[in-house]
Amino acid sequence: MPLPSIVAILSLLAILASGAWVALGLMGVGIFSLEVFRTIPVEKLLAQSIWNGISSPELLALPLFILMAELLFRSRFIDGMFSALEPWVRRLPGALLHTNILACAFFALVSGSSAATTSSVGRITISELDARGYDRRLTLGTLAGAGTLGFLIPPSIVMIVYGVMSQTSVLKLFTAGLVPGFLLTACFMTFIAVLSKLRPGIVPQGTSDNSRIWHERLQGMPSLLPFVVLIGSILGSMYGGLASPTEAAAVAVIVTIVLMALERSLSLAVLKAAAVGTARTVSMLGLIIAAASFLASAIGFLGMPQAVAAFINGMNLPPLGLIVLLMLVYIVLGSFLEGMSIIVMTIPIVMPLVVHAGYDKIWFGVFLILMVELAQISPPVGMNLFVLQGLTGRPLSSVVRAAFPFFLIMLCFVFFLAVFPQVVSFLPQLL
C-alpha cells in the first residue's frame, strides 16, 4: 500500500482514538494528507467537496424525518401501543416480550431512528414488563435488538445518507429495507418463542380472562390508528407516486403535528424542544457528511481506493469471502465509531469492491445498514446500549449481555442475505 495511504489511515486511527470529534478528525486527516503528499489547492477542494456533500436535494428529507421523530418521542402515541398489542401476543410463546419487538417495528415505520425507537418504546414497556414479572435480561435484549429496526425499516435516516453518498435511489433503498426488516422482526420473535418453550420460567403465567380476548383486541385498535395514518401518509404517498421521499417527509411532519394537536399533546414547549433536538442532531450529521465528503475526495487523490482494491483483489477472495471479511471489519469499526461515521468513511473505499464482486448498490446499502445496526449494540459505544442504561440505571455490562443473543441473530441474518441477495433485490426491481 502506498505511503500516503498508510499515513492517512494511521493518522485517522490516532485522531479517533484521542476522542476528538469525528467530523473534525475526518477533515483534519484529509487536509494534512493532501498538504504533505500532494500539490493541489486544498482550500478549493475543501470548499467544493463540502458544498457537493451537503447541497443534495435528497438531504432535505433528513431534518424533516428527524423533526417527526422528535415530535413522536414527545407525544403520547406510544403509551397506548402496549395495551393495543398485548391481547394479540398474549397467547404466543413468550407472551408480552413480543410487544417490545412489534412496538419497535411499528415505531420504526414512522421514526427513522434507532435510538428514538429504543427510547420511545423502552420508557413504556420496561416498567410494564417488570411489574408483570418478566425476565429483565430478555426485556432489555428485545429492546436492544428490535430497537435497531429503526435504521432498517423505512423511512430510515441512515438510508437517506447512504443514498446521497452512493448516488442511489432513496425510494428503492426504502423498498429494499421492507422485506429484510420484517424478516428480522420475525427472527427476533421466533427466538423469543423458542427460548420461552425451552425455559418456561422466563415468562410468568398469566391469569387473564381469554374469553374476552377478541373484545380486548378490537377495543385496543384505535390506539394504533395514529401509526396507521402516519405509515399511510409516508409510504402511501411515496409508493403511490404522489410524493418524493423529501415531500413525504414534509407531509409526515404536518400529519404528526395535526395528530398531536388532536391528541392535545402539542404545545409551544413541545415544539421548541423538538426543534432544538432536531437542530442539534442535524448539525452533527451535517458536519459529519461535509467532512466525509471532503475526506472521500482526499483519499481519491491519494490513491487509497485503488490501493485497497488491489490489495484485496490480490487475496483472490470469492464474493462471499469478501462479505465475511467486510463483516469482520465493520464489527471492529462498530466497536469504536457510531454508525453514521462508519458509513461516510467507508463508502468510497468499499463500494467499488462490492460492486466488482457482483453485489449491487442497493443490496450493499441494506448490508451496510445492518452492520450499522450491529454497531448500535456493540460495546463500548453502542448507542442503544447507552439508551437502555439510561432508562434502567443498570450497569453497561449487564445491558451488553442482554443484547448479545440478538447481536448473534443479526450476524446470522446478514450472512443469510449475503447467500441469498435476491431477498433484498426482488422488491426494488418491481418499482
Side-chain angles (χ1 to χ4, degrees):
M1 187 176 294
L3 179 61
S5 299
I6 295 175
V7 171
I9 292 173
L10 294 177
S11 300
L12 182 60
L13 292 176
I15 290 176
L16 294 177
S18 71
W21 285 5
V22 172
L24 297 182
L26 298 179
M27 201 173 297
V29 169
I31 294 172
F32 170 77
S33 301
L34 291 177
E35 289 286 2
V36 173
F37 295 106
R38 293 293 183 268
T39 55
I40 61 174
V42 177
E43 68 281 357
K44 293 183 180 180
L45 179 62
L46 177 63
Q48 187 64 49
S49 299
I50 290 177
W51 173 256
N52 291 339
I54 62 176
S55 62
S56 174
E58 288 81 3
L59 282 178
L60 285 174
L62 202 61
L64 292 171
F65 278 126
I66 292 173
L67 176 58
M68 181 185 66
E70 291 282 346
L71 288 169
L72 287 172
F73 178 73
R74 291 165 175 81
S75 72
R76 293 195 295 266
F77 297 147
I78 195 69
D79 296 10
M81 185 181 288
F82 183 89
S83 58
L85 293 175
E86 189 268 343
W88 293 93
V89 301
R90 183 189 303 157
R91 293 183 176 179
L92 296 177
L96 301 189
L97 287 171
H98 294 294
T99 58
N100 275 349
I101 301 170
L102 290 176
C104 286
F106 263 104
F107 200 79
L109 280 164
V110 295
S111 75
S113 167
S114 175
T117 299
T118 304
S119 179
S120 299
V121 176
R123 65 187 175 89
I124 302 299
T125 61
I126 288 176
S127 58
E128 288 284 349
L129 293 177
D130 280 351
R132 302 185 190 209
Y134 280 80
D135 184 274
R136 170 59 76 89
R137 177 179 290 190
L138 279 178
T139 299
L140 296 180
T142 51
L143 279 172
T148 63
L149 294 171
F151 279 162
L152 183 60
I153 297 177
S156 167
I157 294 170
V158 177
M159 280 185 177
I160 296 172
V161 174
Y162 172 82
V164 172
M165 296 288 296
S166 64
Q167 298 182 346
T168 307
S169 166
V170 174
L171 183 58
K172 286 191 175 183
L173 284 169
F174 281 179
T175 308
L178 285 170
V179 173
F182 295 140
L183 284 178
L184 187 56
T185 302
C187 290
F188 290 151
M189 295 182 69
T190 301
F191 169 72
I192 290 299
V194 172
L195 190 63
S196 66
K197 286 293 187 181
L198 297 177
R199 295 169 51 196
I202 64 173
V203 178
Q205 298 298 316
T207 58
S208 58
D209 182 11
N210 288 329
S211 64
R212 291 173 50 83
I213 190 167
W214 276 105
H215 174 75
E216 294 175 9
R217 288 173 176 175
L218 295 176
Q219 192 177 39
M221 291 301 290
S223 298
L224 298 177
L225 186 59
F227 292 95
V228 174
V229 173
L230 273 173
I231 293 168
S233 64
I234 297 171
L235 301 184
S237 60
M238 287 191 297
Y239 297 123
L242 302 176
S244 67
T246 301
E247 293 164 342
V251 171
V253 171
I254 295 172
V255 172
T256 302
I257 291 174
V258 171
L259 290 173
M260 289 179 66
L262 294 174
E263 184 202 35
R264 297 184 179 179
S265 61
L266 186 68
S267 66
L268 188 60
V270 167
L271 287 174
K272 181 180 178 181
V276 171
T278 302
R280 287 175 176 168
T281 304
V282 172
S283 299
M284 177 194 69
L285 295 180
L287 191 58
I288 291 175
I289 293 170
S293 299
F294 170 66
L295 183 61
S297 300
I299 64 175
F301 279 101
L302 294 173
M304 188 186 299
Q306 296 86 345
V308 173
F311 175 75
I312 294 181
N313 287 334
M315 299 172 66
N316 295 319
L317 292 173
L320 195 58
L322 172 63
I323 295 303
V324 172
L325 176 62
L326 291 179
M327 287 173 64
L328 295 175
V329 170
Y330 280 119
I331 288 172
V332 173
L333 289 176
S335 298
F336 301 99
L337 297 173
E338 54 86 27
M340 197 68 68
S341 303
I342 294 174
I343 288 180
V344 296
M345 281 176 52
T346 59
I347 283 178
I349 300 174
V350 175
M351 179 72 74
L353 301 174
V354 175
V355 173
H356 180 71
Y359 296 98
D360 63 23
K361 290 182 178 181
I362 293 176
W363 179 90
F364 180 63
V366 173
F367 165 83
L368 189 53
I369 286 161
L370 281 166
M371 299 312 298
V372 168
E373 289 184 347
L374 286 171
Q376 291 291 109
I377 54 176
S378 298
V381 297
M383 183 60 69
N384 284 18
L385 302 179
F386 288 117
V387 169
L388 291 173
Q389 184 188 33
L391 288 174
T392 62
R394 305 269 292 204
L396 186 62
S397 58
S398 176
V399 182
V400 170
R401 287 194 297 270
F404 185 67
F406 297 88
F407 180 91
L408 295 179
I409 291 171
M410 292 170 66
L411 267 184
C412 295
F413 187 74
V414 173
F415 189 77
F416 166 76
L417 293 184
V419 177
F420 302 102
Q422 58 270 24
V423 173
V424 174
S425 59
F426 88 93
L427 198 56
Q429 290 173 356
L430 298 179
L431 287 179

